[in-house]
Amino acid sequence: MAVTSEIPVLIVGAGPTGLTAALELSRLGVPVRIVDRAPHPSPTSRALAVQARTLELLRVRGVGDEMLSAGHRASAAALHAGGRELASIELFRMSSDFNFILMLAQSETERLLTEQLARQGVKVDRGVEVTAVNSGSDGEPVRVTLEGAHGAGETLSANYVIAADGPHSTLRKALAMDFPGRTLPHNYVLADLHIDGDIVADQVSIFLAAGGFVALFPMGAHRFRLMATDPHGLVAADSDPSVEHLQTLYDRVVHVPARLHDLNWSSRFRINSRHVRALRSGRVYFGGDSAHVHSPAGGQGMNLGIQDMINLSWKLAMVHEGRAKPELLDTYSERLPVIRRLVGFTEMGTRIFNSTNPIVHAVRVRVAPRALARDRIQDAAAAMFGQLSAGYRGSALSEGGGGLGELRAGDRVPDTEGLYDGLDLSALTLFADTGSRRVVEVARDWTGVVAIRDRPAPHGGWLLVRPDGYLAAAGGPADGAALQRWLQRWFVKP
């Protein structure tokens, strides 16, 4: 066994969640090591959709523009039944520059994140798995035992560990973390392949029938991700779907004639809908599929994991550097309500849209067009898809933060007129008008915690924006004392 080594942060898992954590922490100057048990990255597409909120956050971190160049855009999600289009969720309504779903294979997302990580001087240590871990409770470092591909072992001591090691998380099991939830009843198939037919190339197409459901996600150049129910067990439990199987499932539900061919990969699966009750055990923090799994419908899961890590990383960096109190890390729990809502929503949607009950089918065919004819529902549905409506108003971190106009502490701050380009991604950023002199004076006493920008806030007040683009605090020109109280609760004055 190798001599014990020490490191500030060990990241276990090199999928999008773990890579984002390594990317963000190393960019913030925190030494990290990232390991993954797989000897090579997976070549399959798996998660496909990159949502608006993720693109907003990754663009200013050096990855989003490359993703946009490599991906394929879908501006709507259309529902079909009975040989006609029932209604369409108009994603272009989203209040974001990225008012679409970007279709990009997970393998490509991982490649782009890995390349940016390498530019930051960090390489994924592959073929390495965790064989033992403690939680680092009572303020002690986490002790981790690792084993390499050739049996070479080592132990290391980490101030913090990030568990991003997937739905079958070794760390979650080793620390006896509950993962409650359920397995949904239907059988599903998933595939990437070519489709020749009049399927719209810039929208998600969802076809509903009493005997099943088919969703088609465009990937460009006549390639699609196909997801379908297999209610009659056409595909055997011990085999992957063939093109012939997929063609049969397609023809049973979809009214648009088409030929399916050039299958890249396929799988048969059941949907698990689960999430942990707590996102940490001592100094081990959980994110991505190690913390939550749910239906792939809607393309939400990978985005949820990436946003987990952007939420955690700035807090961990500031605590590591002594700029914030350790209690700031407790506020990572603000992600739990977001996770619960999304897991519950995707489960409900999956049950409704995938039901083979003829009464349920008749109701959804009647209700969907009426509901989506309303602007309020269209706007809410688009914002939900893009993960723009998620926020932290109920978080302890938002208490006493106030607000300005319609914005309240914990809300997403819209990236209007290039506001995110003005963010200091390693600190809180103050935007204030010339009348907020007392507020600016308070902020100047918090060098290293608050960066001041010469840009006015709306409505004649000030905004203090977190590195993850959510509102930390806000108020009017005379609210300097409120800002001082809020900063003193969480941060360390230099």
Side-chain angles (χ1 to χ4, degrees):
M1 187 69 69
V3 176
T4 300
S5 57
E6 297 181 359
I7 190 167
V9 181
L10 173 69
I11 300 164
V12 182
T17 300
L19 289 168
T20 299
L23 189 76
E24 189 72 343
L25 287 168
S26 61
R27 186 186 60 77
L28 293 170
V30 180
V32 302
R33 181 178 177 189
I34 178 169
V35 302
D36 194 286
R37 66 187 301 176
H40 306 287
S42 173
T44 58
S45 60
R46 293 168 292 157
L48 185 64
V50 185
Q51 303 294 354
R53 185 59 178 152
T54 301
L55 289 167
E56 288 182 344
L57 295 169
L58 291 182
R59 181 188 68 81
V60 291
R61 288 165 170 83
V63 184
D65 288 340
E66 288 182 294
M67 297 176 80
L68 288 167
S69 296
H72 182 80
R73 304 181 187 194
S75 59
L79 303 176
H80 301 261
R84 63 187 178 91
E85 181 177 312
L86 300 177
S88 179
I89 299 172
E90 298 168 346
L91 302 174
F92 56 80
R93 289 173 175 259
M94 286 189 280
S95 59
S96 171
D97 288 343
F98 309 109
N99 54 352
F100 48 83
I101 299 176
L102 184 71
M103 301 299 177
L104 183 66
Q106 182 175 326
S107 55
E108 282 294 284
T109 297
E110 291 180 4
R111 178 183 66 81
L112 294 172
L113 291 171
T114 301
E115 289 176 356
Q116 179 62 29
L117 189 59
R119 288 192 284 269
Q120 295 175 191
V122 179
K123 182 180 179 181
V124 177
D125 194 356
R126 291 198 166 273
V128 177
E129 62 179 306
V130 173
T131 57
V133 63
N134 69 8
S135 63
S137 55
D138 300 322
E140 295 295 320
V142 186
R143 194 173 180 88
V144 184
T145 304
L146 302 174
E147 185 172 305
H150 303 292
E154 64 174 304
T155 60
L156 61 80
S157 176
N159 291 336
Y160 305 97
V161 171
I162 294 175
D165 52 341
H168 305 293
S169 172
T170 299
L171 290 167
R172 191 186 65 237
K173 294 173 183 176
L175 297 174
M177 297 279 287
D178 287 340
F179 201 41
R182 59 193 59 81
T183 300
L184 302 187
H186 284 297
N187 297 316
Y188 296 85
V189 300
L190 204 63
D192 281 1
L193 74 173
H194 280 67
I195 299 180
D196 291 338
D198 292 330
I199 304 297
V200 180
D202 63 351
Q203 71 177 25
V204 177
S205 297
I206 302 168
F207 298 87
L208 308 174
F213 143 97
V214 169
L216 301 175
F217 302 86
M219 302 171 69
H222 298 286
R223 290 189 307 127
F224 289 83
R225 162 72 56 82
L226 180 150
M227 178 182 172
T229 49
D230 183 17
H232 306 299
L234 178 67
V235 181
D238 58 351
S239 65
D240 293 331
S242 66
V243 171
E244 290 74 23
H245 290 138
L246 298 167
Q247 185 76 60
T248 299
L249 292 172
Y250 177 96
D251 291 341
R252 285 179 179 178
V253 174
V254 183
H255 65 277
V256 181
R259 183 175 70 90
L260 281 56
H261 62 100
D262 289 344
L263 176 66
N264 185 29
W265 66 272
S266 66
S267 66
R268 180 185 186 277
F269 68 101
R270 300 283 291 276
I271 290 175
N272 280 292
S273 185
R274 304 177 185 276
H275 64 81
V276 293
R277 290 192 171 96
L279 289 171
R280 68 182 290 186
S281 175
R283 287 174 171 249
V284 180
Y285 295 82
F286 292 81
D289 288 351
S290 72
H292 43 78
V293 294
H294 51 83
S295 169
Q300 303 291 307
M302 180 182 71
N303 298 270
L304 198 62
I306 288 172
Q307 292 171 43
D308 289 344
M309 293 301 100
I310 291 178
N311 180 292
L312 175 63
S313 295
W314 70 268
K315 299 171 182 177
L316 196 155
M318 293 188 82
V319 170
H320 171 74
E321 294 169 355
R323 293 183 290 148
K325 298 176 182 179
E327 291 81 5
L328 183 64
L329 284 171
D330 295 338
T331 70
Y332 179 48
S333 64
E334 69 186 1
R335 290 292 296 166
L336 265 177
V338 175
I339 291 165
R340 281 195 292 265
R341 283 194 296 270
L342 195 144
V343 171
F345 184 83
T346 56
E347 180 175 330
M348 178 183 68
T350 298
R351 288 182 180 277
I352 292 172
F353 284 110
N354 297 5
S355 175
T356 55
N357 184 306
I359 296 175
V360 173
H361 177 65
V363 170
R364 68 194 177 195
V365 167
R366 286 201 305 270
V367 169
R370 296 175 184 174
L372 291 173
R374 300 177 182 177
D375 286 344
R376 179 175 59 83
I377 292 178
Q378 278 282 357
D379 292 343
M384 183 280 300
F385 259 97
Q387 297 192 359
L388 301 176
S389 53
Y392 309 119
R393 282 195 183 188
S395 166
L397 188 56
S398 300
E399 291 176 1
L404 190 65
E406 295 181 354
L407 282 176
R408 291 293 177 268
D411 289 353
R412 162 187 167 263
V413 177
D415 183 15
T416 56
E417 299 179 359
L419 184 140
Y420 281 25
D421 291 317
L423 290 179
D424 185 326
L425 300 179
S426 65
L428 305 165
T429 306
L430 179 70
F431 300 95
D433 71 353
T434 55
S436 301
R437 293 175 184 172
R438 175 56 187 149
V439 172
V440 173
E441 288 173 3
V442 169
R444 285 188 179 130
D445 289 337
W446 290 83
T447 303
V449 173
V450 178
I452 302 170
R453 294 290 182 259
D454 184 19
R455 171 174 172 159
H459 311 298
W462 54 274
L463 301 177
L464 187 68
V465 184
R466 298 166 22 163
D468 57 1
Y470 291 88
L471 187 63
D479 290 336
L483 174 62
Q484 184 80 277
R485 287 193 299 272
W486 186 86
L487 288 168
Q488 287 174 337
R489 181 176 179 185
W490 301 106
F491 299 93
V492 178
K493 200 169 185 178

